[in-house]
Amino acid sequence: KEPIEIDFRDYCDGRPLDCAVLENNDSNYTTYLGFLPGKALADMYEKHGTKMLDMNVRVFLGVGGKINQGIRDTIIEEPEMFCAYNNGINVFSKDVELNVKGNGILTTNDFQIINGGQTVSSLYHTRRKNKEVDLSKIRVQMKLTVMKDEEHIHKVAPRISQYSNTQNKVQLSDLSANENPHPEIKAV
């Protein structure tokens, strides 16, 4: 496959993507945390399509399911709440180029979304179907991992995806557990 190179300045108004960096000298990886504009992700997907998801366990599942309907509804009805409601994306890249200060990502080499394909696809498809949708209020949290030893890539990337998708299902009754009178009953 042809590696996808992303220059964030092309998608972030000429600026690098602000990020926090976690580098552990004893570790095989470095993690970068940032918040991507929703429009930037939709534009990236428009340009690169499902090639951005080659290392993802699945591609877009459509808007038929409750999760993707919820993502679409948030995009349309509460875009300013998107970052709060959405888990964001988990990205793998072979390397990054940072700005001089070391707090902004200029470019990535071999940009692959290993978790969050439904988020990215929903942004793109919602904008395509609803021309009046404004993605400018949307920010998506991104965790980008760069492996120092390329031999670990094909072992670690699937684990990141697996562990990111291993969650306990939340029951409808769980959502009201902290509403009155439940805390008072528990305290007794």
Side-chain angles (χ1 to χ4, degrees):
K1 69 178 176 68
E2 184 78 19
I4 296 173
E5 294 186 20
I6 299 291
D7 187 329
F8 285 102
R9 295 167 291 191
D10 293 341
Y11 299 99
C12 299
D13 298 324
R15 298 179 35 226
L17 178 68
D18 293 335
C19 69
V21 182
L22 174 64
E23 184 166 14
N24 183 341
N25 293 334
D26 298 334
S27 185
N28 288 325
Y29 68 93
T30 302
T31 301
Y32 303 86
L33 299 174
F35 295 92
L36 275 167
K39 180 184 180 311
L41 273 176
D43 291 347
M44 288 177 196
Y45 191 83
E46 183 172 9
K47 180 175 181 177
H48 300 287
T50 57
K51 289 188 281 185
M52 291 175 56
L53 306 175
D54 281 349
M55 292 179 79
N56 201 298
V57 294
R58 58 186 175 222
V59 293
F60 187 52
L61 299 174
V63 293
K66 288 182 182 179
I67 302 301
N68 289 353
Q69 284 178 1
I71 294 172
R72 183 203 58 215
D73 291 348
T74 301
I75 293 168
I76 294 169
E77 299 168 12
E78 296 181 279
E80 68 283 352
M81 296 301 296
F82 195 87
C83 191
Y85 294 164
N86 188 277
N87 288 331
I89 62 173
N90 224 318
V91 177
F92 167 80
S93 186
K94 287 188 178 174
D95 59 57
V96 300
E97 176 188 0
L98 297 175
N99 63 357
V100 175
K101 293 180 181 179
N103 63 353
I105 303 172
L106 298 171
T107 63
T108 64
N109 181 24
D110 204 5
F111 186 89
Q112 283 292 307
I113 297 171
I114 54 179
N115 190 51
Q118 303 311 301
T119 296
V120 176
S121 299
S122 293
L123 287 164
Y124 168 74
H125 288 289
T126 301
R127 179 178 72 180
R128 194 184 75 175
K129 290 179 182 173
N130 303 312
K131 300 295 182 196
E132 71 280 353
V133 166
D134 179 13
L135 302 181
S136 67
K137 294 180 180 177
I138 293 177
R139 294 292 178 271
V140 179
Q141 58 203 17
M142 176 185 76
K143 179 172 71 171
L144 188 148
T145 302
V146 175
M147 298 300 299
K148 294 179 183 171
D149 183 353
E150 287 194 33
E151 290 182 21
H152 289 92
I153 292 169
H154 295 292
K155 185 168 101 177
V156 173
R159 286 184 181 170
I160 292 171
S161 183
Q162 176 188 359
Y163 297 159
S164 297
N165 284 297
T166 306
Q167 303 170 2
N168 293 323
K169 185 175 180 180
V170 176
Q171 301 295 327
L172 191 57
S173 60
D174 295 336
L175 298 175
S176 63
N178 290 326
E179 295 177 5
N180 290 331
H182 301 259
E184 289 84 6
I185 293 171
K186 184 178 179 182
V188 175

